[in-house]
Amino acid sequence: MPAISIIVPIYNMEHLMRRCIDSLLAQTFTDYELLLIDDGSKDGSWGICHEYARKDARISIYHKENGGLSDARNYGLSKAIGKYTIFADPDDWVSPDGLDRLYVTAEREQADMTICDLYREDEYSRHYVCQRPQSLKAEDVLKELFSTIQGFAWNKLIRRDVYTRFGISYPKGIYGCEDQYTMAAILLHDIKIAYEPVAFYHYMYNSASLTRHYDERTYEMDMHVLEMFRTLLEGNVVQPLAVRSKEDAVFARAFWNGRDYYSSVAFKQRFASFRDRVSSLNEMTVVKVCMTAACRGWYQPAIRMVFFLFRVKRLIKCVKSNIS
C-alpha cells in the first residue's frame, strides 16, 4: 500500500496539465500513487494521461463521464489505496520537497490532517501565504477556516480513512466552495491536526477569474451554498461567523463578476445593506471605496474604475518583470 494517494481531477487541461504532473513526479518523496481522473475531457487530456501512465507504474488513470470537480474527487477517493490523500489541480504545480515534509510531520504527530503553507502566484509575481493555525484543536481551526485559514484541499494531507470514518464526501452540484465545505465537515469532528511550515503548492491565480460568467443562477447558487453552510454548522458556535463569511462571498462574487448582469440600480437594490460591512472585507482600500459606491447606486462606474486600476497594476507588473 502506498503511503500517499495524490488525486488530480482533470477536465480539458491539455495545455497546462504536463507541468503539474511533471512536478508531482519530481517529488523527493516517492512512496505514492498518482491518480489522474479524466472527468470527460473533450480535448487531448485523456491521451496525455495515457502517455504518462506508460512512463511511470505509480500512475493510474481513469476516464469517467463529466460530473464536475466534486464528483471527480469522490471518484478518486473511491479508487485510492494510500494511507493519506492529497489533491492537486492540473493548472497548478508543486515544489519537490513538500510531500516528504508533510508525510514526516503527519507520521510523527499521528495526524489526521496536516496543514502547510502555499504560494499564490501569477505569471508576474509570487506571494507566500502562511497557513499556521493559532491552535491545532479542530474546533479552533474550524473557526479560522472562515477567516485566516484557506479551505483548500490541496495544502492539506488527510488520512484517507477520515472520509470513510465520518461518511464525508465532496458536495456535488456546487462550485467555488467544495473544498471549504468538506474541510468544515471534517473539522466538526475531534481529529488530530498538525502543521508543517512549508509552502510547496503553487496556486496559479488566473486574472480571467475576475470576468467569469455571472447571472441570476449564479446568485441563486451562492445563496444555496450559504444555506448549506448554515445547515452543516447548525448548533455550532462558529455558525454566525461562517454565515457572515458566506454572505460576504455572495456580495464579493456579485461585485467582481456581475459587471455584465447588474445595472447600478439593480446592484443597489440587492446589496445596499452591505454598505456598512465593506470596511471589514479583506480588500484593498481603493476596492472598498468602489464597493461602497456600488452599494450607494454607482456600481457600473465603480466596477469600471476597479478593472481599469487592475489593468494598470497588471501592466506595471509586466514592465517590472521585463526589466528584472
Side-chain angles (χ1 to χ4, degrees), residues 146-164:
F146 299 99
S147 54
T148 56
I149 298 296
Q150 301 289 328
F152 302 129
W154 31 250
N155 73 320
K156 299 172 181 67
L157 187 70
I158 299 174
R159 286 183 66 105
R160 181 167 56 90
D161 68 2
V162 165
Y163 294 99
T164 54

Side-chain angles (χ1 to χ4, degrees), residues 25 35 45 54 67 70 73 78 81 98 138 161 166 169 186 201 226 246 249 258 261 273 276 306-307 313:
L25 294 177
L35 287 74
S45 297
R54 289 191 293 267
S70 287
R73 284 181 169 176
S78 74
I81 59 174
D161 68 2
F166 303 121
S169 60
I186 291 173
Y201 195 93
L226 189 157
K246 301 326 291 180
Y261 179 70
S273 62
D276 298 329
V306 168
F307 273 76
K313 181 180 179 181

Side-chain angles (χ1 to χ4, degrees), residues 115-298:
I115 303 170
C116 69
D117 303 331
L118 59 99
Y119 290 107
R120 184 180 185 271
E121 60 188 82
D122 57 27
E123 62 266 50
Y124 303 118
S125 62
R126 176 182 298 171
H127 301 284
Y128 191 104
V129 183
C130 180
Q131 292 289 277
R132 181 191 295 271
Q134 295 181 9
S135 163
L136 293 178
K137 293 181 179 180
E139 59 187 20
D140 294 332
V141 177
L142 179 60
K143 294 177 185 177
E144 289 190 74
L145 193 67
F146 299 99
S147 54
T148 56
I149 298 296
Q150 301 289 328
F152 302 129
W154 31 250
N155 73 320
K156 299 172 181 67
L157 187 70
I158 299 174
R159 286 183 66 105
R160 181 167 56 90
D161 68 2
V162 165
Y163 294 99
T164 54
R165 197 190 323 163
F166 303 121
I168 293 172
S169 60
Y170 288 82
K172 301 177 185 178
I174 66 171
Y175 55 88
C177 294
E178 305 96 333
D179 287 20
Q180 188 183 37
Y181 182 89
T182 306
M183 295 306 108
I186 291 173
L187 290 167
L188 283 172
H189 302 277
D190 187 24
I191 63 169
K192 179 69 181 296
I193 300 173
Y195 166 74
E196 173 60 27
V198 59
F200 88 109
Y201 195 93
H202 297 253
Y203 166 52
M204 300 303 297
Y205 175 72
N206 181 6
S207 60
S209 64
L210 295 179
T211 57
R212 286 177 180 165
H213 177 74
Y214 185 101
D215 58 19
E216 190 63 18
R217 288 176 296 181
T218 309
Y219 174 76
E220 292 172 355
M221 174 62 72
D222 286 347
M223 295 302 295
H224 172 64
V225 170
L226 189 157
E227 292 305 316
M228 286 177 60
F229 276 92
R230 191 193 304 273
T231 300
L232 175 69
L233 300 170
E234 186 71 40
N236 191 287
V237 294
V238 80
Q239 190 202 51
L241 175 63
V243 169
R244 183 181 177 92
S245 170
K246 301 326 291 180
E247 288 173 344
D248 290 346
V250 172
F251 169 76
R253 195 203 298 263
F255 179 81
W256 288 110
N257 296 347
R259 181 171 57 167
D260 295 330
Y261 179 70
Y262 287 111
S263 66
S264 292
V265 172
F267 192 91
K268 179 183 178 181
Q269 289 175 339
R270 177 163 281 175
F271 297 108
S273 62
F274 276 83
R275 184 176 62 194
D276 298 329
R277 292 171 57 167
V278 167
S279 61
S280 65
L281 299 180
N282 184 26
E283 300 284 359
M284 294 183 296
T285 300
V286 65
V287 173
K288 291 181 181 180
V289 170
C290 291
M291 285 180 162
T292 301
C295 293
R296 293 178 180 273
W298 297 91

